[in-house]
Each structure stands twice: as structure tokens, then as C-alpha cells.
PDB file of all heavy atoms in Angstrom:
ATOM      1  N   LEU A   1     105.232  84.716 100.435  1.00 88.00           N
ATOM      2  CA  LEU A   1     105.764  83.757  99.471  1.00 88.00           C
ATOM      3  C   LEU A   1     104.612  82.917  98.959  1.00 88.00           C
ATOM      4  O   LEU A   1     103.884  82.306  99.742  1.00 88.00           O
ATOM      5  CB  LEU A   1     106.814  82.855 100.134  1.00 88.00           C
ATOM      6  CG  LEU A   1     107.307  81.678  99.276  1.00 88.00           C
ATOM      7  CD1 LEU A   1     108.093  82.204  98.072  1.00 88.00           C
ATOM      8  CD2 LEU A   1     108.173  80.727 100.104  1.00 88.00           C
ATOM      9  N   LEU A   2     104.434  82.886  97.638  1.00 86.00           N
ATOM     10  CA  LEU A   2     103.404  82.060  97.016  1.00 86.00           C
ATOM     11  C   LEU A   2     104.076  80.857  96.378  1.00 86.00           C
ATOM     12  O   LEU A   2     105.045  80.998  95.646  1.00 86.00           O
ATOM     13  CB  LEU A   2     102.652  82.846  95.945  1.00 86.00           C
ATOM     14  CG  LEU A   2     101.975  84.139  96.389  1.00 86.00           C
ATOM     15  CD1 LEU A   2     101.290  84.817  95.209  1.00 86.00           C
ATOM     16  CD2 LEU A   2     100.975  83.867  97.485  1.00 86.00           C
ATOM     17  N   ALA A   3     103.535  79.686  96.661  1.00 84.00           N
ATOM     18  CA  ALA A   3     104.105  78.454  96.100  1.00 84.00           C
ATOM     19  C   ALA A   3     102.979  77.565  95.600  1.00 84.00           C
ATOM     20  O   ALA A   3     101.902  77.516  96.184  1.00 84.00           O
ATOM     21  CB  ALA A   3     104.932  77.715  97.153  1.00 84.00           C
ATOM     22  N   GLY A   4     103.242  76.865  94.511  1.00 83.00           N
ATOM     23  CA  GLY A   4     102.237  75.964  93.956  1.00 83.00           C
ATOM     24  C   GLY A   4     102.715  75.425  92.626  1.00 83.00           C
ATOM     25  O   GLY A   4     103.657  75.950  92.016  1.00 83.00           O
ATOM     26  N   GLY A   5     102.052  74.401  92.185  1.00 83.00           N
ATOM     27  CA  GLY A   5     102.425  73.778  90.917  1.00 83.00           C
ATOM     28  C   GLY A   5     102.030  74.632  89.730  1.00 83.00           C
ATOM     29  O   GLY A   5     101.321  75.636  89.850  1.00 83.00           O
ATOM     30  N   THR A   6     102.502  74.244  88.552  1.00 82.00           N
ATOM     31  CA  THR A   6     102.158  74.946  87.327  1.00 82.00           C
ATOM     32  C   THR A   6     100.653  74.906  87.107  1.00 82.00           C
ATOM     33  O   THR A   6     100.030  73.856  87.185  1.00 82.00           O
ATOM     34  CB  THR A   6     102.883  74.309  86.129  1.00 82.00           C
ATOM     35  OG1 THR A   6     104.297  74.346  86.360  1.00 82.00           O
ATOM     36  CG2 THR A   6     102.565  75.057  84.845  1.00 82.00           C
ATOM     37  N   GLY A   7     100.083  76.074  86.837  1.00 82.00           N
ATOM     38  CA  GLY A   7      98.647  76.144  86.589  1.00 82.00           C
ATOM     39  C   GLY A   7      97.788  76.176  87.843  1.00 82.00           C
ATOM     40  O   GLY A   7      96.564  76.071  87.748  1.00 82.00           O
ATOM     41  N   SER A   8      98.409  76.330  89.014  1.00 82.00           N
ATOM     42  CA  SER A   8      97.637  76.324  90.264  1.00 82.00           C
ATOM     43  C   SER A   8      97.008  77.681  90.580  1.00 82.00           C
ATOM     44  O   SER A   8      96.215  77.790  91.514  1.00 82.00           O
ATOM     45  CB  SER A   8      98.522  75.879  91.431  1.00 82.00           C
ATOM     46  OG  SER A   8      99.622  76.764  91.583  1.00 82.00           O
ATOM     47  N   GLY A   9      97.363  78.718  89.836  1.00 84.00           N
ATOM     48  CA  GLY A   9      96.721  80.022  90.027  1.00 84.00           C
ATOM     49  C   GLY A   9      97.568  81.067  90.715  1.00 84.00           C
ATOM     50  O   GLY A   9      97.039  82.080  91.176  1.00 84.00           O
ATOM     51  N   LYS A  10      98.885  80.865  90.778  1.00 86.00           N
ATOM     52  CA  LYS A  10      99.756  81.830  91.470  1.00 86.00           C
ATOM     53  C   LYS A  10      99.697  83.204  90.805  1.00 86.00           C
ATOM     54  O   LYS A  10      99.550  84.216  91.475  1.00 86.00           O
ATOM     55  CB  LYS A  10     101.199  81.310  91.499  1.00 86.00           C
ATOM     56  CG  LYS A  10     101.403  79.994  92.216  1.00 86.00           C
ATOM     57  CD  LYS A  10     102.865  79.636  92.312  1.00 86.00           C
ATOM     58  CE  LYS A  10     103.536  79.465  90.962  1.00 86.00           C
ATOM     59  NZ  LYS A  10     102.940  78.354  90.176  1.00 86.00           N
ATOM     60  N   THR A  11      99.819  83.242  89.488  1.00 87.00           N
ATOM     61  CA  THR A  11      99.855  84.516  88.779  1.00 87.00           C
ATOM     62  C   THR A  11      98.520  85.241  88.894  1.00 87.00           C
ATOM     63  O   THR A  11      98.474  86.463  89.091  1.00 87.00           O
ATOM     64  CB  THR A  11     100.205  84.292  87.296  1.00 87.00           C
ATOM     65  OG1 THR A  11     101.493  83.675  87.209  1.00 87.00           O
ATOM     66  CG2 THR A  11     100.246  85.615  86.544  1.00 87.00           C
ATOM     67  N   TYR A  12      97.413  84.528  88.778  1.00 87.00           N
ATOM     68  CA  TYR A  12      96.105  85.159  88.941  1.00 87.00           C
ATOM     69  C   TYR A  12      95.949  85.723  90.349  1.00 87.00           C
ATOM     70  O   TYR A  12      95.336  86.774  90.548  1.00 87.00           O
ATOM     71  CB  TYR A  12      94.996  84.159  88.635  1.00 87.00           C
ATOM     72  CG  TYR A  12      94.641  84.091  87.167  1.00 87.00           C
ATOM     73  CD1 TYR A  12      95.116  83.075  86.358  1.00 87.00           C
ATOM     74  CD2 TYR A  12      93.838  85.081  86.584  1.00 87.00           C
ATOM     75  CE1 TYR A  12      94.805  83.022  85.018  1.00 87.00           C
ATOM     76  CE2 TYR A  12      93.526  85.033  85.235  1.00 87.00           C
ATOM     77  CZ  TYR A  12      94.005  84.004  84.454  1.00 87.00           C
ATOM     78  OH  TYR A  12      93.697  83.963  83.126  1.00 87.00           O
ATOM     79  N   PHE A  13      96.509  85.020  91.319  1.00 88.00           N
ATOM     80  CA  PHE A  13      96.454  85.504  92.694  1.00 88.00           C
ATOM     81  C   PHE A  13      97.243  86.805  92.830  1.00 88.00           C
ATOM     82  O   PHE A  13      96.791  87.764  93.474  1.00 88.00           O
ATOM     83  CB  PHE A  13      97.004  84.430  93.635  1.00 88.00           C
ATOM     84  CG  PHE A  13      96.898  84.784  95.088  1.00 88.00           C
ATOM     85  CD1 PHE A  13      95.674  85.022  95.675  1.00 88.00           C
ATOM     86  CD2 PHE A  13      98.040  84.878  95.877  1.00 88.00           C
ATOM     87  CE1 PHE A  13      95.576  85.347  97.018  1.00 88.00           C
ATOM     88  CE2 PHE A  13      97.952  85.201  97.216  1.00 88.00           C
ATOM     89  CZ  PHE A  13      96.715  85.443  97.791  1.00 88.00           C
ATOM     90  N   ILE A  14      98.440  86.854  92.208  1.00 90.00           N
ATOM     91  CA  ILE A  14      99.252  88.074  92.244  1.00 90.00           C
ATOM     92  C   ILE A  14      98.520  89.218  91.544  1.00 90.00           C
ATOM     93  O   ILE A  14      98.488  90.351  92.038  1.00 90.00           O
ATOM     94  CB  ILE A  14     100.623  87.825  91.589  1.00 90.00           C
ATOM     95  CG1 ILE A  14     101.439  86.829  92.415  1.00 90.00           C
ATOM     96  CG2 ILE A  14     101.396  89.141  91.449  1.00 90.00           C
ATOM     97  CD1 ILE A  14     102.760  86.449  91.783  1.00 90.00           C
ATOM     98  N   LEU A  15      97.898  88.927  90.408  1.00 90.00           N
ATOM     99  CA  LEU A  15      97.145  89.958  89.693  1.00 90.00           C
ATOM    100  C   LEU A  15      95.993  90.493  90.534  1.00 90.00           C
ATOM    101  O   LEU A  15      95.696  91.690  90.519  1.00 90.00           O
ATOM    102  CB  LEU A  15      96.614  89.394  88.368  1.00 90.00           C
ATOM    103  CG  LEU A  15      97.647  89.157  87.265  1.00 90.00           C
ATOM    104  CD1 LEU A  15      97.039  88.359  86.121  1.00 90.00           C
ATOM    105  CD2 LEU A  15      98.194  90.487  86.745  1.00 90.00           C
ATOM    106  N   THR A  16      95.352  89.605  91.279  1.00 90.00           N
ATOM    107  CA  THR A  16      94.257  90.024  92.153  1.00 90.00           C
ATOM    108  C   THR A  16      94.765  90.948  93.251  1.00 90.00           C
ATOM    109  O   THR A  16      94.141  91.972  93.566  1.00 90.00           O
ATOM    110  CB  THR A  16      93.579  88.788  92.775  1.00 90.00           C
ATOM    111  OG1 THR A  16      93.086  87.941  91.731  1.00 90.00           O
ATOM    112  CG2 THR A  16      92.424  89.190  93.670  1.00 90.00           C
ATOM    113  N   MET A  17      95.913  90.610  93.848  1.00 91.00           N
ATOM    114  CA  MET A  17      96.500  91.467  94.884  1.00 91.00           C
ATOM    115  C   MET A  17      96.891  92.822  94.303  1.00 91.00           C
ATOM    116  O   MET A  17      96.678  93.869  94.937  1.00 91.00           O
ATOM    117  CB  MET A  17      97.712  90.787  95.503  1.00 91.00           C
ATOM    118  CG  MET A  17      97.387  89.574  96.361  1.00 91.00           C
ATOM    119  SD  MET A  17      98.779  89.082  97.406  1.00 91.00           S
ATOM    120  CE  MET A  17     100.039  88.772  96.177  1.00 91.00           C
ATOM    121  N   ILE A  18      97.478  92.821  93.117  1.00 91.00           N
ATOM    122  CA  ILE A  18      97.888  94.076  92.486  1.00 91.00           C
ATOM    123  C   ILE A  18      96.672  94.973  92.260  1.00 91.00           C
ATOM    124  O   ILE A  18      96.707  96.188  92.538  1.00 91.00           O
ATOM    125  CB  ILE A  18      98.615  93.791  91.162  1.00 91.00           C
ATOM    126  CG1 ILE A  18      99.974  93.141  91.424  1.00 91.00           C
ATOM    127  CG2 ILE A  18      98.784  95.067  90.341  1.00 91.00           C
ATOM    128  CD1 ILE A  18     100.686  92.665  90.172  1.00 91.00           C
ATOM    129  N   GLU A  19      95.594  94.386  91.772  1.00 91.00           N
ATOM    130  CA  GLU A  19      94.377  95.164  91.512  1.00 91.00           C
ATOM    131  C   GLU A  19      93.853  95.808  92.789  1.00 91.00           C
ATOM    132  O   GLU A  19      93.429  96.975  92.800  1.00 91.00           O
ATOM    133  CB  GLU A  19      93.321  94.259  90.890  1.00 91.00           C
ATOM    134  CG  GLU A  19      92.189  95.000  90.185  1.00 91.00           C
ATOM    135  CD  GLU A  19      91.097  95.452  91.140  1.00 91.00           C
ATOM    136  OE1 GLU A  19      90.939  94.825  92.209  1.00 91.00           O
ATOM    137  OE2 GLU A  19      90.403  96.436  90.818  1.00 91.00           O
ATOM    138  N   ALA A  20      93.898  95.060  93.907  1.00 91.00           N
ATOM    139  CA  ALA A  20      93.430  95.590  95.187  1.00 91.00           C
ATOM    140  C   ALA A  20      94.358  96.683  95.701  1.00 91.00           C
ATOM    141  O   ALA A  20      93.902  97.718  96.206  1.00 91.00           O
ATOM    142  CB  ALA A  20      93.303  94.462  96.209  1.00 91.00           C
ATOM    143  N   LEU A  21      95.673  96.488  95.574  1.00 91.00           N
ATOM    144  CA  LEU A  21      96.643  97.458  96.088  1.00 91.00           C
ATOM    145  C   LEU A  21      96.654  98.753  95.276  1.00 91.00           C
ATOM    146  O   LEU A  21      97.040  99.803  95.786  1.00 91.00           O
ATOM    147  CB  LEU A  21      98.044  96.836  96.103  1.00 91.00           C
ATOM    148  CG  LEU A  21      98.254  95.701  97.112  1.00 91.00           C
ATOM    149  CD1 LEU A  21      99.594  95.021  96.876  1.00 91.00           C
ATOM    150  CD2 LEU A  21      98.168  96.228  98.538  1.00 91.00           C
ATOM    151  N   LEU A  22      96.212  98.675  94.017  1.00 90.00           N
ATOM    152  CA  LEU A  22      96.161  99.882  93.194  1.00 90.00           C
ATOM    153  C   LEU A  22      95.124 100.882  93.707  1.00 90.00           C
ATOM    154  O   LEU A  22      95.176 102.059  93.358  1.00 90.00           O
ATOM    155  CB  LEU A  22      95.846  99.511  91.737  1.00 90.00           C
ATOM    156  CG  LEU A  22      97.001  98.904  90.931  1.00 90.00           C
ATOM    157  CD1 LEU A  22      96.522  98.447  89.570  1.00 90.00           C
ATOM    158  CD2 LEU A  22      98.149  99.891  90.793  1.00 90.00           C
ATOM    159  N   HIS A  23      94.203 100.417  94.541  1.00 90.00           N
ATOM    160  CA  HIS A  23      93.194 101.314  95.109  1.00 90.00           C
ATOM    161  C   HIS A  23      93.686 101.970  96.398  1.00 90.00           C
ATOM    162  O   HIS A  23      92.922 102.679  97.060  1.00 90.00           O
ATOM    163  CB  HIS A  23      91.899 100.550  95.371  1.00 90.00           C
ATOM    164  CG  HIS A  23      91.225 100.054  94.124  1.00 90.00           C
ATOM    165  ND1 HIS A  23      90.484 100.882  93.297  1.00 90.00           N
ATOM    166  CD2 HIS A  23      91.199  98.831  93.543  1.00 90.00           C
ATOM    167  CE1 HIS A  23      90.025 100.184  92.269  1.00 90.00           C
ATOM    168  NE2 HIS A  23      90.437  98.934  92.400  1.00 90.00           N
ATOM    169  N   THR A  24      94.932 101.713  96.770  1.00 89.00           N
ATOM    170  CA  THR A  24      95.540 102.350  97.940  1.00 89.00           C
ATOM    171  C   THR A  24      96.615 103.320  97.452  1.00 89.00           C
ATOM    172  O   THR A  24      96.798 103.510  96.248  1.00 89.00           O
ATOM    173  CB  THR A  24      96.167 101.300  98.876  1.00 89.00           C
ATOM    174  OG1 THR A  24      97.316 100.712  98.238  1.00 89.00           O
ATOM    175  CG2 THR A  24      95.168 100.186  99.199  1.00 89.00           C
ATOM    176  N   ASN A  25      97.348 103.913  98.383  1.00 89.00           N
ATOM    177  CA  ASN A  25      98.436 104.829  98.003  1.00 89.00           C
ATOM    178  C   ASN A  25      99.777 104.110  97.894  1.00 89.00           C
ATOM    179  O   ASN A  25     100.829 104.744  97.901  1.00 89.00           O
ATOM    180  CB  ASN A  25      98.545 105.965  99.020  1.00 89.00           C
ATOM    181  CG  ASN A  25      98.925 105.463 100.413  1.00 89.00           C
ATOM    182  OD1 ASN A  25      98.832 104.275 100.694  1.00 89.00           O
ATOM    183  ND2 ASN A  25      99.331 106.382 101.292  1.00 89.00           N
ATOM    184  N   ALA A  26      99.747 102.770  97.802  1.00 90.00           N
ATOM    185  CA  ALA A  26     100.977 101.983  97.732  1.00 90.00           C
ATOM    186  C   ALA A  26     101.690 102.188  96.398  1.00 90.00           C
ATOM    187  O   ALA A  26     101.064 102.449  95.366  1.00 90.00           O
ATOM    188  CB  ALA A  26     100.670 100.507  97.942  1.00 90.00           C
ATOM    189  N   ASN A  27     103.018 102.054  96.430  1.00 92.00           N
ATOM    190  CA  ASN A  27     103.838 102.091  95.222  1.00 92.00           C
ATOM    191  C   ASN A  27     104.231 100.656  94.866  1.00 92.00           C
ATOM    192  O   ASN A  27     104.755  99.929  95.696  1.00 92.00           O
ATOM    193  CB  ASN A  27     105.099 102.930  95.455  1.00 92.00           C
ATOM    194  CG  ASN A  27     104.761 104.358  95.833  1.00 92.00           C
ATOM    195  OD1 ASN A  27     103.955 105.007  95.178  1.00 92.00           O
ATOM    196  ND2 ASN A  27     105.376 104.860  96.893  1.00 92.00           N
ATOM    197  N   LEU A  28     103.970 100.268  93.621  1.00 92.00           N
ATOM    198  CA  LEU A  28     104.204  98.890  93.197  1.00 92.00           C
ATOM    199  C   LEU A  28     105.323  98.836  92.166  1.00 92.00           C
ATOM    200  O   LEU A  28     105.358  99.632  91.218  1.00 92.00           O
ATOM    201  CB  LEU A  28     102.924  98.285  92.597  1.00 92.00           C
ATOM    202  CG  LEU A  28     101.641  98.379  93.434  1.00 92.00           C
ATOM    203  CD1 LEU A  28     100.495  97.699  92.713  1.00 92.00           C
ATOM    204  CD2 LEU A  28     101.844  97.753  94.800  1.00 92.00           C
ATOM    205  N   TYR A  29     106.222  97.870  92.350  1.00 93.00           N
ATOM    206  CA  TYR A  29     107.298  97.593  91.392  1.00 93.00           C
ATOM    207  C   TYR A  29     107.187  96.109  91.047  1.00 93.00           C
ATOM    208  O   TYR A  29     107.299  95.249  91.933  1.00 93.00           O
ATOM    209  CB  TYR A  29     108.660  97.917  91.997  1.00 93.00           C
ATOM    210  CG  TYR A  29     108.813  99.365  92.399  1.00 93.00           C
ATOM    211  CD1 TYR A  29     108.322  99.817  93.625  1.00 93.00           C
ATOM    212  CD2 TYR A  29     109.436 100.272  91.548  1.00 93.00           C
ATOM    213  CE1 TYR A  29     108.449 101.156  93.986  1.00 93.00           C
ATOM    214  CE2 TYR A  29     109.566 101.609  91.914  1.00 93.00           C
ATOM    215  CZ  TYR A  29     109.066 102.037  93.127  1.00 93.00           C
ATOM    216  OH  TYR A  29     109.183 103.355  93.483  1.00 93.00           O
ATOM    217  N   ILE A  30     106.985  95.814  89.768  1.00 92.00           N
ATOM    218  CA  ILE A  30     106.642  94.453  89.351  1.00 92.00           C
ATOM    219  C   ILE A  30     107.705  93.923  88.397  1.00 92.00           C
ATOM    220  O   ILE A  30     108.052  94.574  87.401  1.00 92.00           O
ATOM    221  CB  ILE A  30     105.258  94.430  88.678  1.00 92.00           C
ATOM    222  CG1 ILE A  30     104.204  94.953  89.672  1.00 92.00           C
ATOM    223  CG2 ILE A  30     104.898  93.028  88.213  1.00 92.00           C
ATOM    224  CD1 ILE A  30     102.864  95.230  89.046  1.00 92.00           C
ATOM    225  N   LEU A  31     108.214  92.732  88.706  1.00 91.00           N
ATOM    226  CA  LEU A  31     109.254  92.097  87.893  1.00 91.00           C
ATOM    227  C   LEU A  31     108.755  90.756  87.381  1.00 91.00           C
ATOM    228  O   LEU A  31     108.295  89.915  88.163  1.00 91.00           O
ATOM    229  CB  LEU A  31     110.528  91.904  88.723  1.00 91.00           C
ATOM    230  CG  LEU A  31     111.052  93.139  89.482  1.00 91.00           C
ATOM    231  CD1 LEU A  31     112.328  92.791  90.227  1.00 91.00           C
ATOM    232  CD2 LEU A  31     111.275  94.295  88.538  1.00 91.00           C
ATOM    233  N   ASP A  32     108.861  90.566  86.070  1.00 89.00           N
ATOM    234  CA  ASP A  32     108.411  89.317  85.441  1.00 89.00           C
ATOM    235  C   ASP A  32     109.523  88.813  84.523  1.00 89.00           C
ATOM    236  O   ASP A  32     109.552  89.134  83.325  1.00 89.00           O
ATOM    237  CB  ASP A  32     107.128  89.565  84.652  1.00 89.00           C
ATOM    238  CG  ASP A  32     106.550  88.269  84.081  1.00 89.00           C
ATOM    239  OD1 ASP A  32     107.162  87.207  84.268  1.00 89.00           O
ATOM    240  OD2 ASP A  32     105.485  88.327  83.447  1.00 89.00           O
ATOM    241  N   PRO A  33     110.463  88.014  85.056  1.00 87.00           N
ATOM    242  CA  PRO A  33     111.619  87.583  84.251  1.00 87.00           C
ATOM    243  C   PRO A  33     111.241  86.698  83.064  1.00 87.00           C
ATOM    244  O   PRO A  33     112.028  86.582  82.122  1.00 87.00           O
ATOM    245  CB  PRO A  33     112.482  86.821  85.263  1.00 87.00           C
ATOM    246  CG  PRO A  33     111.544  86.412  86.348  1.00 87.00           C
ATOM    247  CD  PRO A  33     110.527  87.507  86.437  1.00 87.00           C
ATOM    248  N   LYS A  34     110.066  86.088  83.094  1.00 86.00           N
ATOM    249  CA  LYS A  34     109.653  85.234  81.972  1.00 86.00           C
ATOM    250  C   LYS A  34     108.889  86.006  80.904  1.00 86.00           C
ATOM    251  O   LYS A  34     108.434  85.415  79.930  1.00 86.00           O
ATOM    252  CB  LYS A  34     108.802  84.068  82.492  1.00 86.00           C
ATOM    253  CG  LYS A  34     109.629  83.004  83.217  1.00 86.00           C
ATOM    254  CD  LYS A  34     108.819  81.741  83.434  1.00 86.00           C
ATOM    255  CE  LYS A  34     109.696  80.618  83.988  1.00 86.00           C
ATOM    256  NZ  LYS A  34     108.950  79.351  84.156  1.00 86.00           N
ATOM    257  N   ASN A  35     108.741  87.339  81.113  1.00 83.00           N
ATOM    258  CA  ASN A  35     108.021  88.174  80.150  1.00 83.00           C
ATOM    259  C   ASN A  35     106.658  87.562  79.825  1.00 83.00           C
ATOM    260  O   ASN A  35     106.261  87.445  78.661  1.00 83.00           O
ATOM    261  CB  ASN A  35     108.849  88.345  78.876  1.00 83.00           C
ATOM    262  CG  ASN A  35     108.304  89.467  78.004  1.00 83.00           C
ATOM    263  OD1 ASN A  35     107.581  90.339  78.468  1.00 83.00           O
ATOM    264  ND2 ASN A  35     108.647  89.434  76.730  1.00 83.00           N
ATOM    265  N   SER A  36     105.952  87.196  80.873  1.00 83.00           N
ATOM    266  CA  SER A  36     104.678  86.508  80.698  1.00 83.00           C
ATOM    267  C   SER A  36     103.510  87.423  81.076  1.00 83.00           C
ATOM    268  O   SER A  36     103.466  88.576  80.656  1.00 83.00           O
ATOM    269  CB  SER A  36     104.677  85.230  81.545  1.00 83.00           C
ATOM    270  OG  SER A  36     103.536  84.458  81.289  1.00 83.00           O
ATOM    271  N   ASP A  37     102.590  86.928  81.901  1.00 84.00           N
ATOM    272  CA  ASP A  37     101.341  87.642  82.172  1.00 84.00           C
ATOM    273  C   ASP A  37     101.546  88.988  82.862  1.00 84.00           C
ATOM    274  O   ASP A  37     100.914  89.980  82.502  1.00 84.00           O
ATOM    275  CB  ASP A  37     100.412  86.760  83.024  1.00 84.00           C
ATOM    276  CG  ASP A  37     100.043  85.474  82.311  1.00 84.00           C
ATOM    277  OD1 ASP A  37      99.575  85.570  81.169  1.00 84.00           O
ATOM    278  OD2 ASP A  37     100.242  84.388  82.881  1.00 84.00           O
ATOM    279  N   LEU A  38     102.423  89.046  83.885  1.00 86.00           N
ATOM    280  CA  LEU A  38     102.606  90.301  84.595  1.00 86.00           C
ATOM    281  C   LEU A  38     103.262  91.357  83.727  1.00 86.00           C
ATOM    282  O   LEU A  38     103.048  92.559  83.926  1.00 86.00           O
ATOM    283  CB  LEU A  38     103.433  90.079  85.869  1.00 86.00           C
ATOM    284  CG  LEU A  38     102.801  89.219  86.963  1.00 86.00           C
ATOM    285  CD1 LEU A  38     103.618  89.300  88.244  1.00 86.00           C
ATOM    286  CD2 LEU A  38     101.370  89.636  87.238  1.00 86.00           C
ATOM    287  N   ALA A  39     104.068  90.928  82.768  1.00 87.00           N
ATOM    288  CA  ALA A  39     104.728  91.886  81.871  1.00 87.00           C
ATOM    289  C   ALA A  39     103.705  92.671  81.046  1.00 87.00           C
ATOM    290  O   ALA A  39     103.970  93.805  80.631  1.00 87.00           O
ATOM    291  CB  ALA A  39     105.704  91.166  80.955  1.00 87.00           C
ATOM    292  N   ASP A  40     102.527  92.107  80.817  1.00 88.00           N
ATOM    293  CA  ASP A  40     101.485  92.803  80.047  1.00 88.00           C
ATOM    294  C   ASP A  40     100.985  94.057  80.758  1.00 88.00           C
ATOM    295  O   ASP A  40     100.362  94.919  80.126  1.00 88.00           O
ATOM    296  CB  ASP A  40     100.301  91.862  79.792  1.00 88.00           C
ATOM    297  CG  ASP A  40     100.689  90.681  78.904  1.00 88.00           C
ATOM    298  OD1 ASP A  40     101.704  90.795  78.191  1.00 88.00           O
ATOM    299  OD2 ASP A  40      99.979  89.661  78.932  1.00 88.00           O
ATOM    300  N   LEU A  41     101.262  94.158  82.073  1.00 89.00           N
ATOM    301  CA  LEU A  41     100.821  95.338  82.822  1.00 89.00           C
ATOM    302  C   LEU A  41     101.594  96.597  82.421  1.00 89.00           C
ATOM    303  O   LEU A  41     101.216  97.699  82.823  1.00 89.00           O
ATOM    304  CB  LEU A  41     100.986  95.086  84.328  1.00 89.00           C
ATOM    305  CG  LEU A  41     100.114  93.975  84.927  1.00 89.00           C
ATOM    306  CD1 LEU A  41     100.480  93.747  86.394  1.00 89.00           C
ATOM    307  CD2 LEU A  41      98.631  94.314  84.804  1.00 89.00           C
ATOM    308  N   GLN A  42     102.671  96.436  81.640  1.00 87.00           N
ATOM    309  CA  GLN A  42     103.453  97.598  81.194  1.00 87.00           C
ATOM    310  C   GLN A  42     102.594  98.603  80.432  1.00 87.00           C
ATOM    311  O   GLN A  42     102.887  99.796  80.412  1.00 87.00           O
ATOM    312  CB  GLN A  42     104.614  97.140  80.303  1.00 87.00           C
ATOM    313  CG  GLN A  42     105.699  96.382  81.046  1.00 87.00           C
ATOM    314  CD  GLN A  42     106.750  95.837  80.098  1.00 87.00           C
ATOM    315  OE1 GLN A  42     106.498  95.668  78.912  1.00 87.00           O
ATOM    316  NE2 GLN A  42     107.937  95.565  80.629  1.00 87.00           N
ATOM    317  N   THR A  43     101.525  98.113  79.809  1.00 88.00           N
ATOM    318  CA  THR A  43     100.681  98.991  78.987  1.00 88.00           C
ATOM    319  C   THR A  43      99.718  99.825  79.821  1.00 88.00           C
ATOM    320  O   THR A  43      99.139 100.792  79.302  1.00 88.00           O
ATOM    321  CB  THR A  43      99.875  98.153  77.977  1.00 88.00           C
ATOM    322  OG1 THR A  43      99.059  97.209  78.694  1.00 88.00           O
ATOM    323  CG2 THR A  43     100.797  97.400  77.033  1.00 88.00           C
ATOM    324  N   VAL A  44      99.536  99.477  81.092  1.00 89.00           N
ATOM    325  CA  VAL A  44      98.534 100.185  81.901  1.00 89.00           C
ATOM    326  C   VAL A  44      99.097 100.787  83.183  1.00 89.00           C
ATOM    327  O   VAL A  44      98.402 101.544  83.866  1.00 89.00           O
ATOM    328  CB  VAL A  44      97.354  99.250  82.258  1.00 89.00           C
ATOM    329  CG1 VAL A  44      96.576  98.861  81.010  1.00 89.00           C
ATOM    330  CG2 VAL A  44      97.842  98.007  82.997  1.00 89.00           C
ATOM    331  N   MET A  45     100.336 100.472  83.551  1.00 89.00           N
ATOM    332  CA  MET A  45     100.885 101.013  84.795  1.00 89.00           C
ATOM    333  C   MET A  45     102.405 101.100  84.700  1.00 89.00           C
ATOM    334  O   MET A  45     103.039 100.376  83.917  1.00 89.00           O
ATOM    335  CB  MET A  45     100.473 100.158  86.000  1.00 89.00           C
ATOM    336  CG  MET A  45     100.890  98.705  85.915  1.00 89.00           C
ATOM    337  SD  MET A  45     100.280  97.713  87.312  1.00 89.00           S
ATOM    338  CE  MET A  45     101.172  98.449  88.685  1.00 89.00           C
TER     339      MET A  45
END
């Protein structure tokens, strides 16, 4: 569970974890209800 105020870096932290996990055999399912930064990953994964 990641918690923090607005602009504290939660999304960048999630993006960093995703980038690291993509180098493994893990299967990732990503949900972004605000259609914000994580939703942009639709173009690459």
C-alpha cells in the first residue's frame, strides 16, 4: 500500500516498480481510474 499527499511521488514510484518488474516473467495488470499517468502505458504494454 502506497500512501502520501498529492505530488509526493506515488505514481512515479509505481512507474519505477513497473519498469523493474517488466524485466521479470511477472504478469502485470494496471488500472488507472483517473485516466492519468499510468493510463499512458496502454501504448507500450
Side-chain angles (χ1 to χ4, degrees):
L1 172 67
L2 303 179
T6 302
S8 60
K10 299 186 299 298
T11 300
Y12 274 101
F13 184 60
I14 294 176
L15 288 169
T16 301
M17 290 195 301
I18 291 173
E19 198 277 335
L21 292 171
L22 284 174
H23 294 282
T24 69
N25 64 344
N27 300 311
L28 308 182
Y29 300 83
I30 301 169
L31 309 181
D32 185 358
K34 286 193 172 182
N35 194 20
S36 187
D37 299 307
L38 294 190
D40 295 339
L41 295 175
Q42 291 174 338
T43 59
V44 294
M45 58 184 295

